Amino acid sequence: MCSPGIIFLAQTVVGALGNSSLLLHYLGLYFTGCRVRHTDWILQHLIVANLLTLLSRGVPQTVAAFGVKDFLSDVGCQLLFYLHRMGRGVSIGSTCLLSIFQAMKISPENSRWAELKMSICKYIDSSVYLSWLLYLLLNIVVLMYTTGNRNNKNSTSLKYLGYCSTIQYNVTIQSLFAALVSFPDALCMGLMLWASSSMVLILHRHKQRMQYLQKTSSPRSSPESRATKTILLLVSTFVSFYTLSCIFQIYVGIMSNPNLFLVNTATIFSGCFPAVSPFLLMDRNSSAPRLCLAWLRNGKTSDIMRNM
């Protein structure tokens, strides 16, 4: 059976390599002058958030699992927990925004979202930056209850979490903290489930309509359908891992002295989506270099973008 240190190391390295590869891919498209889709802009921020989440938690957790004790100061613990929470929050917000954008993009022209469908592209940039700002400000509360282990070994008001500790306030304050931090996550989860349900329904209706077309029509699905299926896979993977992570986080939260196995398991599940998601997206982006070369060769930007 693998030790926790090996699991943390493998998860962090594989996830960092996958996310870095996709990020370099998008940077390459940018510097070669190739225009990318609006969904790709959201995905770039998702990738950065994934890297932030993996590195800020995976690296110190790996070091602690291999036996290094009390290697972080109070400031170091506060910074790493803050970055992890911010990256995790932006990951949730980006996945939510991605699912909503795609649901509106594939909605029929005669739907109630028709007007918003035409103008939603204008708000993509501001929505992504607003997500960063929201979680940047919201997670300041993390700095209030995170501390290191160097000078606090005998304190009974601390909850030991491996390489750092959290200060245990009274039940009322902890409940307010939990509600404040969890509300945006719960809202994003609800919007994701709504958008995913809408996409499934739209695809189902589209499939029923396709059954009446002539057999000579192309059996290959449209780019929109393939992108939608990829996003549905991404969202379902996110919801699954996030739910498991929340269950273990709740157990860690309600216990005054959680055992190390529970803490490690919660950390592993929290890093699963950032590590797995880039590999779910790689197949979707495999055709981008060919499209970019065609755009550079012919200069037909509108034709290329219409097919993306």
Side-chain angles (χ1 to χ4, degrees):
M1 186 175 180
C2 293
S3 66
I6 298 296
I7 297 175
F8 291 138
L9 180 62
Q11 186 183 64
T12 304
V13 170
V14 171
L17 288 176
N19 283 285
S20 298
S21 299
L22 267 184
L23 186 60
L24 289 174
H25 164 74
Y26 284 122
L27 290 175
L29 295 181
Y30 174 78
F31 286 114
T32 54
C34 182
R35 297 182 64 180
V36 296
R37 295 160 288 192
H38 292 286
T39 51
D40 291 334
W41 172 250
I42 304 173
L43 288 173
Q44 291 175 52
H45 288 268
L46 174 62
I47 292 166
V48 173
N50 285 343
L51 282 170
L52 196 61
T53 304
L54 278 170
L55 297 177
S56 60
R57 179 60 64 88
V59 172
Q61 197 77 46
T62 301
V63 173
F66 280 114
V68 182
K69 303 294 183 181
D70 304 336
F71 57 93
L72 287 172
S73 63
D74 291 350
V75 175
C77 283
Q78 290 170 351
L79 179 62
L80 287 178
F81 268 66
Y82 178 73
L83 291 176
H84 174 76
R85 288 292 310 181
M86 185 174 64
R88 181 174 175 273
V90 174
S91 179
I92 296 173
S94 299
T95 309
C96 175
L97 182 62
L98 187 68
S99 59
I100 293 173
F101 176 78
Q102 192 67 19
M104 291 185 177
K105 183 179 178 182
I106 67 171
S107 62
E109 296 295 336
N110 59 352
S111 69
R112 56 184 175 178
W113 303 109
E115 294 184 4
L116 186 58
K117 179 180 179 180
M118 300 300 295
S119 60
I120 188 175
C121 295
K122 301 177 182 178
Y123 304 105
I124 292 296
D125 291 1
S126 57
S127 298
V128 172
Y129 290 129
L130 182 62
S131 176
W132 280 102
L133 180 62
L134 172 65
Y135 286 101
L136 184 72
L137 298 176
L138 185 65
N139 288 294
I140 290 177
V141 298
V142 173
L143 304 177
M144 299 173 59
Y145 63 82
T146 306
T147 183
N149 298 326
R150 291 179 178 176
N151 302 317
N152 302 299
K153 293 182 179 180
N154 298 323
S155 177
T156 58
S157 63
L158 297 179
K159 182 182 296 185
Y160 180 67
L161 298 178
Y163 59 94
C164 291
S165 299
T166 58
I167 301 172
Q168 299 189 72
Y169 293 99
N170 61 60
V171 177
T172 303
I173 294 179
Q174 289 189 169
S175 300
L176 288 174
F177 280 170
L180 179 63
V181 173
S182 301
F183 177 74
D185 296 352
L187 180 61
C188 287
M189 287 286 288
L191 291 173
M192 266 190 278
L193 293 175
W194 166 78
S196 300
S197 302
S198 299
M199 284 189 281
V200 170
L201 183 61
I202 292 170
L203 288 177
H204 177 68
R205 290 174 177 173
H206 176 71
K207 184 178 180 180
Q208 287 182 326
R209 288 194 298 268
M210 290 294 291
Q211 292 176 353
Y212 296 99
L213 297 179
Q214 296 179 353
K215 294 182 179 180
T216 56
S217 61
S218 174
R220 187 177 179 182
S221 60
S222 66
E224 290 80 7
S225 295
R226 294 195 301 274
T228 302
K229 290 175 182 177
T230 301
I231 292 173
L232 283 172
L233 178 61
L234 189 73
V235 171
S236 60
T237 303
F238 175 84
V239 172
S240 300
F241 284 130
Y242 182 78
T243 301
L244 290 171
S245 174
C246 282
I247 291 173
F248 282 95
Q249 290 289 353
I250 289 172
Y251 276 113
V252 171
I254 62 178
M255 289 184 172
S256 58
N257 188 25
N259 60 65
L260 199 56
F261 172 80
L262 197 61
V263 173
N264 289 338
T265 304
T267 303
I268 290 171
F269 277 121
S270 68
C272 283
F273 177 77
V276 170
S277 59
F279 301 99
L280 300 178
L281 297 168
M282 283 182 179
D283 181 65
R284 174 177 179 268
N285 290 278
S286 60
S287 61
R290 295 194 298 272
L291 293 172
C292 186
L293 287 174
W295 180 82
L296 291 172
R297 187 182 302 115
N298 301 322
K300 298 179 180 179
T301 308
S302 59
D303 293 338
I304 295 299
M305 291 302 293
R306 192 178 300 114
N307 295 322
M308 289 181 69

